[in-house]
Amino acid sequence: MKLRFLIIAILILTGSHWTYADTDDRKNDVELTPRNPRPRDNSTSEINLNCTYVDGVLIFKFHVPEGKAKLTVVNLDNGQRHDATFLTFNSYSHYIGDEPGNYRIDLYTSAGGAYFGYLTIPRQ
């Protein structure tokens, strides 16, 4: 019985790194900064929004919903523009493609939130 428990424990411990390994090299967190933070806000702990870029898709997730959001993504190299409107109650995915370049992300919510950030997709 002890041998069986020991073998199971070893298999679980050695296999756990496969379960939690993040091997996706194309996953990038995009830092979005509030446009008009409150005067007392001296840290990033109050930022309510996470943005991640994975394989041509931007994924937005609000910790606390802020109503309706208007998204604009502009490729600064060629001027191509992507616009979208979505509700912030669930995570939202927006396809922008994987064309190398620099992108500006602007997001406004109906609750008064305004965020901006930049994404660089490198040439491969």
Side-chain angles (χ1 to χ4, degrees):
M1 184 68 179
K2 290 181 183 180
L3 181 61
R4 187 179 297 165
F5 176 77
L6 181 64
I7 292 172
I8 291 173
I10 290 172
L11 289 174
I12 289 173
L13 291 175
T14 58
S16 65
H17 74 279
W18 293 320
T19 305
Y20 298 105
D22 186 12
T23 59
D24 188 4
D25 294 335
R26 293 192 237 172
K27 179 179 177 181
N28 296 319
D29 289 332
V30 179
E31 184 177 334
L32 295 181
T33 307
R35 275 194 191 277
N36 299 318
R38 292 180 280 170
R40 291 177 287 178
D41 184 14
N42 294 327
S43 70
T44 60
S45 63
E46 292 189 21
I47 294 178
N48 186 33
L49 172 63
N50 283 346
C51 179
T52 306
Y53 172 80
V54 181
D55 293 330
V57 178
L58 285 171
I59 303 167
F60 298 92
K61 182 171 174 118
F62 283 83
H63 301 290
V64 177
E66 293 187 20
K68 192 181 217 182
K70 183 177 187 262
L71 170 67
T72 302
V73 181
V74 177
N75 183 330
L76 299 175
D77 297 334
N78 64 14
Q80 185 178 11
R81 180 180 174 135
H82 299 265
D83 292 312
T85 303
F86 62 95
L87 296 175
T88 61
F89 300 105
N90 294 321
S91 62
Y92 174 73
S93 300
H94 184 79
Y95 181 78
I96 62 166
D98 56 1
E99 182 179 334
N102 297 305
Y103 295 82
R104 179 177 169 100
I105 303 165
D106 291 296
L107 191 113
Y108 299 93
T109 66
S110 60
Y115 305 90
F116 75 96
Y118 295 93
L119 168 68
T120 299
I121 301 174
R123 298 196 186 282
Q124 295 179 351

